[in-house]
Amino acid sequence: MGGRHGWNSGELRWKVTALLGVGAVALALILTLISTLPGGGGTAGTTPDGDKVHGTPVSPGGRPAPDVGWGFTHTQFSADEGSPAAVSRVRDRLKQSRLPQNQALMGWGADNPEPVPGRYDFAALDRRVDFMRASGATPVITLCCAPDWMKGGKPGADSTDWSRSALERAPRPEHYADFAALAATVAERYPDVKHFLVWNEFKGFWNDARARWDHEGYTRMYNLVYRALKKVDPDIMVGGPYLVMDSLDPRAAEASKTFTGPWGAMDQRVLDAFTYWNRHKAGADFVVVDGSSYTNDDELLPDAFAATDKFTAVSRWVRQQTGGLPLWWAEYYVEPADAQDERKDWPEERRVALQAAGMIALVKGGASSGFYWNPEKRRAGPGQERGTACPGCLWTPTDRAGGGAPLPLYDLLSRFAAAFPPGTRYASVQVAADDVPNVRVLASDRTALVVNTLGRPISAQVDGRRFDLPAYGVKWLAR
């Protein structure tokens, strides 16, 4: 071919080489200029092969089940980073309990996965997936949130707006398909991740004009994501709508007139959004919601323990609406937060007891999977020890060599997950009449969990046995 075009001359070859060299330099300069212009979409640190399989996927063995049991969600800080000794401590303990673990696509410890259209940065998400694999988890990914350019922001690896208002913005309708394509890329990258939650709490899907949720927009995006994931692998399990099941003071204008209880009234706008999604969804392998036992005004009605009955009522309603789809609670809260979103006012004994009561209430409503939102704390700055006590955490912070030690909530969660996995056959348990108002009980044929709801010691008779329980005591019984 070279002779036919006359390129055998040494001089011509030199000229062509020189021209190619000049062209390459010019192209490099142009690309550099584009990447440094405002909104130009710098590609540093990104790759075009986002769908390349990462690491060594763990074979799940057989078709995945639509429910995974009881586990936790990684947040901004977690045990994938920190002191090697502390990280190993948590990883080894998790390998024993094999709790399912959930991680967000973007935010809560994961970077912008697609800073520029078609260019990916999965380094942080890779690290979290690696940790889930190494700790023997069933991995779950929440498909939220979306890259800036899908929301009207600037593309670029260094221009991500991490403010809460920006992070919680939904993709624009013209980018729903782009988000679905990103979801498919994630599924191809991590073929051992078989469970996906679509979005998080309807973030950004609010219709200002109608003062209600934009359930039409969410459902359109959900359906695109559902179909994209099923195209990658029909065995992938997909769930939504991840709505916050808000409850209100019954006197509120938005309160449901028919779905009420001593714990308050459901927000009718949430029920309407759920109903629309349920009727128009392309499909779902499980249904996922989240919420708190307390009202939007942080009221625990009629008291902290009785308020958990809301979980039972909502779970039953959701299961009825969906014809019995497996029910997940992506988040569940029993302790109101302060202005800094901290939960540190309660003694740990009360916190653990109320969490146990909440999980019992979820199961009694038909929930088979749930994720504890694990807020691992880290030092606030040099010399500061903020977060050392880590109220509400599963383990002590891993940013120090002695960290990674289990906390009481880890013991509760791991024992609950082992005792009451999906498919458990629950049994009735006799409780002495005088003790019924004071204790919560959940039992299988082999195990019973008993919770004292009072802030004082009691003597209780459960399952034919009498025993003492300390204030807010939690006791496990072999049957």
Side-chain angles (χ1 to χ4, degrees), residues 12-220:
L12 185 57
R13 283 200 305 271
W14 179 87
K15 288 181 178 179
V16 171
T17 302
L19 287 172
L20 288 173
V22 171
V25 171
L27 179 60
L29 288 172
I30 291 171
L31 290 174
T32 300
L33 178 61
I34 291 173
S35 67
T36 56
L37 287 173
T43 60
T46 66
T47 176
D49 59 348
D51 57 355
K52 181 180 178 181
V53 174
H54 167 71
T56 305
V58 178
S59 175
R63 191 172 189 270
D67 37 21
V68 296
W70 302 89
F72 67 92
T73 294
H74 293 279
T75 52
Q76 181 65 34
F77 302 110
S78 198
D80 59 311
E81 290 187 298
S83 161
V87 169
S88 295
R89 197 170 289 123
V90 177
R91 184 184 62 238
D92 292 346
R93 184 165 287 105
L94 288 172
K95 287 174 70 174
Q96 297 174 16
S97 60
R98 305 186 73 83
L99 296 175
Q101 299 170 33
N102 178 33
Q103 171 60 44
L105 168 65
M106 176 178 172
W108 299 282
D111 294 334
N112 188 336
E114 191 179 2
V116 178
R119 304 282 304 195
Y120 304 93
D121 177 8
F122 284 120
L125 188 56
D126 286 348
R127 187 178 65 248
R128 287 280 167 95
V129 171
D130 286 342
F131 181 83
M132 291 192 284
R133 288 170 174 170
S135 54
T138 298
V140 178
I141 289 181
T142 294
L143 294 169
C144 182
C145 294
D148 290 32
W149 59 270
M150 295 186 190
K151 303 175 290 191
K154 297 178 181 179
D158 300 319
S159 61
T160 300
D161 184 349
W162 288 105
S163 66
R164 182 171 181 175
S165 61
L167 181 64
E168 297 185 354
R169 196 172 299 141
R172 290 183 173 181
E174 61 267 27
H175 289 299
Y176 290 168
D178 292 318
F179 187 75
L182 173 58
T185 299
V186 172
E188 291 169 331
R189 186 172 185 84
Y190 312 114
D192 50 340
V193 178
K194 297 297 186 183
H195 298 84
F196 290 89
L197 314 184
V198 182
W199 209 243
N200 174 306
E201 296 185 336
F202 264 47
K203 287 179 168 59
F205 285 98
W206 180 258
N207 187 321
D208 286 319
R210 298 187 179 184
R212 63 160 174 84
W213 292 110
D214 177 18
H215 38 256
E216 299 92 344
Y218 169 81
T219 304
R220 282 177 55 202

Side-chain angles (χ1 to χ4, degrees), residues 251-435:
R251 297 167 294 184
E254 301 84 5
S256 171
K257 306 305 180 187
T258 57
F259 194 170
T260 64
W263 38 265
M266 290 300 297
D267 188 325
Q268 187 61 47
R269 297 167 299 183
V270 173
L271 303 181
D272 293 343
F274 186 94
T275 300
Y276 182 91
W277 170 83
N278 191 41
R279 289 176 178 171
H280 297 89
K281 65 183 184 299
D285 299 291
F286 57 90
V287 60
V288 56
V289 297
D290 85 338
S292 60
S293 59
Y294 43 88
T295 69
N296 274 10
D297 297 324
D298 290 345
E299 289 186 287
L300 289 158
L301 302 174
D303 60 66
F305 283 91
T308 63
D309 290 339
K310 171 190 168 180
F311 290 147
T312 303
V314 171
S315 296
R316 287 174 177 165
W317 182 86
V318 170
R319 293 266 292 165
Q320 183 180 41
Q321 301 302 307
T322 62
L325 277 178
L327 171 59
W328 296 25
W329 281 75
E331 303 169 45
Y332 49 92
Y333 300 98
V334 296
E335 179 182 3
D338 61 19
Q340 285 72 46
D341 200 31
E342 298 277 1
R343 292 174 170 84
K344 56 185 179 182
D345 293 337
W346 291 2
E348 195 70 2
E349 294 78 9
R350 189 183 191 211
R351 179 176 293 115
V352 172
L354 200 48
Q355 282 289 337
M359 295 170 76
I360 289 172
L362 291 170
V363 167
K364 287 188 172 180
S368 55
S369 300
F371 289 87
Y372 182 77
W373 189 267
N374 184 36
E376 182 175 328
K377 306 298 182 184
R378 296 291 175 92
R379 292 183 178 92
Q384 299 183 42
E385 293 295 321
R386 176 179 176 266
T388 301
C390 212
C393 299
L394 297 178
W395 52 76
T396 57
T398 55
D399 61 345
R400 58 210 74 182
L407 292 170
L409 279 171
Y410 180 85
D411 179 71
L412 171 67
L413 178 60
S414 59
R415 294 188 71 168
F416 193 97
F420 308 118
T424 296
R425 296 180 62 182
Y426 293 97
S428 59
V429 174
Q430 287 188 340
V431 179
D434 291 346
D435 297 321

